[in-house]
């Protein structure tokens, strides 16, 4: 159920609606918008009587939400959400560019990577200190030591840090250091981890599970929002198909599909999406052309020596070209859209 407030509704009227929701044992989610504020209700297992709300001051109407996901849906919040990650706006007019190695391997490696990706045009640094690996014998990440190196890289470069939290046990630690917490593809339906991310005070980057449908993807995001964290960025990173010319099949059609159903920003990971260095640049540009709000790209100063995902990691110079081309395409599309809007408006 969604309670739509009048455009001029006061703070007090909104607070009264929230108090009413809480008195029924449900949770209230205030969703401010450009035109009006709405208050979403979660926690109810059956229908809620709309008359209970429609008589309250400042309420226009109470409407039931038809989709299984509520808080992530455009029905509840028509305006796009813009997520602020350490001053970088994801979902704003410019594509948000995040780059860095798959894993934090050493202090020198992450510092060198951070300087290189910054010089090449990235605004955010990626790098896993805790790695979800297929083999228990593969490098699992440096843990807290890796987080400390990431923090040092942030201090030196000013880049915001995006890093993965793989379980609830280490979540607190990752939350302390990260500017944005990544939930990886393998954990997209780890519901206790999603709930924990929903209680975090930092933005979350939620990657699509490798065989998940659009609805499962949005329901996973719903777990995070339902706990009160509305700062969620979705990320397409490829899905499993019969195709074997790439590691995964990058499903770019999910970008407009998400944008139609949800207000959350979606970015694309062309590195895991293709698994091949030579496919990263073209697919990154295709993602921007499809309307993605940003890119997360694996870049390593010495990909041949990378401990994980070297084959799909770009050299810093390749990332520089990618960043320039991605910005050029986004700028061109923005310009054309604005000039069309001006023509229509006149
Ligand atoms: C990663 O970003 O390095 C990673 C493990 O990604 P994914 O969860 O998409 O496989
Ligand atoms: Mn990786």
């Amino acid at each position: 159920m969604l309670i739509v407030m009048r455009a001029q509704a006061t703070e007090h009227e909104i607070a009264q609606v929230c108090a009413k929701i809480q008195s029924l044992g449900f949770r209230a989610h205030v969703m401010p918008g450009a035109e009006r504020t709405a208050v979403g209700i979660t926690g109810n297992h059956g229908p809620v009587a709309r008359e209970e709300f429609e008589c309250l001051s400042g309420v226009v109407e109470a409407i039931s939400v038809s989709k299984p996901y509520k808080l992530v849906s455009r029905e509840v919040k028509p305006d796009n959400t813009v997520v602020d990650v350490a001053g970088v706006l994801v979902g704003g007019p410019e594509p948000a560019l995040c780059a860095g190695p798959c894993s934090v391997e050493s202090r020198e490696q992450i510092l060198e990577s951070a300087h290189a990706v910054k010089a090449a045009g990235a605004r955010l640094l990626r790098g896993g200190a805790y790695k979800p690996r297929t083999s228990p014998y593969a490098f699992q990440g440096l843990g807290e030591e890796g987080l400390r190196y990431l923090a040092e890289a942030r201090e030196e470069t000013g880049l915001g840090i995006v890093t993965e939290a793989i379980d609830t046990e280490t979540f607190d630690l990752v939350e302390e250091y990260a500017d944005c917490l990544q939930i990886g593809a393998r954990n997209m339906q780890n519901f206790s981890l999603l709930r924990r991310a929903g209680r975090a005070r930092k933005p979350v980057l939620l990657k699509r599970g490798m065989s998940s449908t659009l609805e499962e993807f949005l329901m996973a995001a719903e777990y995070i929002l339902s706990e009160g964290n509305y700062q969620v960025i979705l990320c397409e990173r490829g899905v499993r198909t019969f195709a074997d010319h790439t590691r995964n099949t990058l499903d770019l059609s999910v970008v407009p599909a998400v944008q139609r159903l949800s207000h959350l920003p979606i970015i694309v990971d062309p590195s895991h999406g293709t698994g091949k260095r030579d496919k990263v640049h073209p697919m990154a540009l295709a993602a921007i052309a499809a309307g993605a709000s940003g890119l997360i790209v694996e870049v390593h100063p010495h990909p041949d020596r990378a401990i994980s995902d070297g084959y799909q990691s770009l050299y810093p110079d390749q990332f520089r070209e990618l960043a320039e081309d991605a910005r050029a395409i986004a700028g061109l599309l923005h310009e054309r859209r604005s000039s069309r809007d001006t023509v229509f408006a006149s």
Side-chain angles (χ1 to χ4, degrees):
M1 171 86 63
L2 182 70
I3 315 300
V4 181
M5 305 299 296
R6 275 193 301 117
Q8 305 78 12
T10 63
E11 295 281 317
H12 178 66
E13 287 169 332
I14 294 168
Q16 276 185 321
V17 168
C18 293
K20 176 78 189 170
I21 294 169
Q22 281 148 14
S23 74
L24 295 168
F26 308 142
R27 185 162 184 161
H29 302 266
V30 178
M31 317 284 254
E35 311 258 303
R36 45 84 172 148
T37 291
V39 186
I41 303 178
T42 60
N44 55 305
H45 294 296
V48 180
R50 59 178 52 141
E51 304 73 38
E52 298 242 32
F53 294 95
E54 286 180 340
C55 60
L56 296 180
S57 156
V59 172
V60 176
E61 59 177 341
I63 48 179
S64 60
V65 180
S66 60
K67 298 283 190 302
Y69 37 86
K70 311 290 177 195
L71 303 173
V72 308
S73 89
R74 268 207 197 275
E75 282 180 71
V76 164
K77 183 173 182 284
D79 322 308
N80 290 333
T81 289
V82 177
V83 179
D84 182 334
V85 181
V88 178
L89 300 182
V90 185
E94 290 224 346
L97 300 183
C98 175
C102 179
S103 318
V104 180
E105 300 168 5
S106 67
R107 180 173 176 273
E108 294 65 37
Q109 175 252 16
I110 196 65
L111 292 180
E112 189 181 353
S113 301
H115 285 288
V117 300
K118 183 180 180 179
R123 302 280 314 280
L124 297 169
L125 175 67
R126 62 147 291 145
Y130 293 91
K131 294 303 301 176
R133 303 304 300 279
T134 302
S135 165
Y137 309 118
F139 175 60
Q140 305 285 312
L142 294 180
E144 188 174 5
E145 186 187 348
L147 294 173
R148 280 199 299 269
Y149 298 151
L150 282 168
E152 204 176 329
R154 169 174 48 209
E155 259 161 50
E156 281 201 7
T157 61
L159 294 171
I161 301 297
V162 179
T163 194
E164 182 163 354
I166 58 167
D167 52 34
T168 49
E169 290 93 312
T170 51
F171 198 98
D172 289 6
L173 203 53
V174 181
E175 188 182 3
E176 234 175 79
Y177 289 91
D179 294 300
C180 178
L181 294 138
Q182 177 174 323
I183 304 283
R186 290 156 191 80
N187 268 320
M188 192 207 79
Q189 284 190 317
N190 179 338
F191 300 117
S192 49
L193 188 62
L194 294 174
R195 284 197 194 281
R196 175 64 188 84
R199 293 191 293 275
R201 296 277 157 268
K202 303 258 171 90
V204 175
L205 176 70
L206 176 66
K207 296 186 108 183
R208 180 182 181 187
M210 52 186 92
S211 3
S212 76
T213 63
L214 171 55
E215 187 165 306
E216 287 163 344
F217 191 18
L218 294 177
M219 291 305 276
E222 184 78 15
Y223 265 87
I224 303 172
L225 272 75
S226 73
E227 292 291 329
N229 188 352
Y230 308 116
Q231 301 295 293
V232 174
I233 303 160
L234 301 171
C235 178
E236 161 62 25
R237 48 77 71 207
V239 289
R240 285 263 166 97
T241 68
F242 54 82
D244 57 4
H245 61 287
T246 50
R247 179 176 175 185
N248 292 293
T249 296
L250 192 63
D251 177 17
L252 290 182
S253 68
V254 87
V255 172
V258 160
Q259 288 167 341
R260 187 188 169 105
L261 298 173
S262 176
H263 53 86
L264 295 176
I266 176 160
I267 69 166
V268 169
D269 172 352
S271 308
H272 295 87
T274 62
K276 307 241 164 112
R277 185 177 304 131
D278 64 321
K279 313 270 183 307
V280 172
H281 187 119
M283 294 314 286
L285 300 191
I288 295 297
S293 291
L295 298 167
I296 179 165
V297 182
E298 286 186 339
V299 179
H300 196 291
H302 312 283
D304 46 324
R305 285 191 245 145
I307 298 181
S308 58
D309 287 348
Y311 292 119
Q312 66 195 34
S313 298
L314 297 186
Y315 289 87
D317 282 348
Q318 293 179 308
F319 177 70
R320 180 195 305 278
E321 284 176 13
L322 188 162
E324 285 170 4
D325 289 353
R327 290 208 168 99
I329 288 182
L332 178 69
L333 291 176
H334 184 71
E335 224 171 81
R336 292 183 63 83
R337 216 171 288 130
S338 313
S339 71
R340 267 198 300 270
D341 291 349
T342 316
V343 172
F344 284 133
S346 58

